[in-house]
Amino acid sequence: MNAESAVESVTTSDAGFDFEATFQAHYGRVARVIQGVVHDHARAEELAVEVFVKLWRSPQAQTEKADGWLYRAAIHRALDELRRRERRRRYERLFGFLKTVPTPEDLRAATEEQDRVRRVLAAIEPRAAELLLLRGQGLSYEEVASALALNPASVGTLLSRAQEAFRKEFVRRYGQQ
């Protein structure tokens, strides 16, 4: 058996199905169909190859209707890929807290930012700093008003002024960021 007859026996099944011709005729379109779903050219080509491997391993699909089988299999494979991506995103979000180990640079930057905020809070009017700190701790307007002996209706205005004072002092000290 020479190399030519070996290729012929691999690409043509007993029923006369020419796998190589089917691959040549349909690969590009199958890959484009998958790419239209997954929006990733390289991954679409990988999935198209998987579809053809599945055709290769499925003698019952190797008929004159193989092109229809290919496109159906391509759509199913593309949809499976979308589901796989969504599962992965969901698990990454769910377990994201496990992967977020701050680097020393992250810790230094956070400490530096906290120091800046503390300096600005110390520089602005004490009542404005109190308003910002209490609201930053999640207290409602009514709770802030009660803690600082203010009219609850004026907390929004006073808080807005405190935020503006903080912003101006921060920009004065550290510039726009």
Side-chain angles (χ1 to χ4, degrees):
M1 181 185 245
N2 62 21
E4 211 170 87
S5 62
V7 169
E8 187 67 28
S9 69
V10 167
T11 60
T12 305
S13 69
D14 294 336
F17 183 76
D18 189 354
F19 182 82
E20 186 174 350
T22 303
F23 182 85
Q24 294 294 329
H26 297 284
Y27 173 78
R29 188 156 180 225
V30 167
R32 282 191 302 276
V33 165
I34 294 171
Q35 183 178 352
V37 176
V38 299
H39 302 288
D40 180 347
H41 180 72
R43 186 66 180 140
E45 287 185 350
E46 292 171 359
L47 295 174
V49 169
E50 289 178 17
V51 168
F52 278 96
V53 167
K54 187 173 180 180
L55 174 64
W56 176 261
R57 294 179 178 164
S58 303
Q60 71 276 9
Q62 298 174 7
T63 66
E64 66 278 348
K65 296 182 181 179
D67 55 341
W69 183 94
L70 279 171
Y71 297 117
R72 243 185 348 272
I75 292 296
H76 288 155
R77 190 62 193 100
L79 292 172
D80 288 345
E81 176 70 10
L82 290 180
R83 287 185 203 103
R84 184 195 64 78
R85 285 181 187 175
E86 183 54 36
R87 266 192 318 273
R88 182 177 180 156
R89 272 193 288 266
R90 194 170 45 244
Y91 290 133
E92 285 176 350
R93 264 194 320 270
L94 183 63
F95 296 110
F97 66 91
L98 297 175
K99 295 189 299 185
T100 56
V101 177
T103 65
E105 177 60 29
D106 293 338
L107 293 172
R108 185 195 61 75
T111 302
E112 203 173 273
E113 188 67 22
Q114 289 171 352
D115 289 343
R116 287 179 174 183
V117 169
R118 286 185 185 109
R119 283 188 216 112
V120 171
L121 285 172
I124 64 176
E125 178 186 329
R127 174 169 249 141
E130 290 171 348
L131 274 164
L132 292 172
L133 289 170
L134 290 173
R135 186 66 178 151
Q137 291 299 315
L139 273 66
S140 68
Y141 280 18
E142 292 78 25
E143 292 168 326
V144 170
S146 175
L148 298 178
L150 299 171
N151 180 353
S154 64
V155 171
T157 303
L158 294 172
L159 188 60
S160 178
R161 289 179 186 160
Q163 289 169 335
E164 183 61 21
F166 181 91
R167 188 191 66 73
K168 283 181 181 178
E169 183 64 22
F170 192 91
V171 168
R172 187 185 71 72
R173 287 174 176 252
Y174 304 109
Q176 291 283 26
Q177 293 192 358

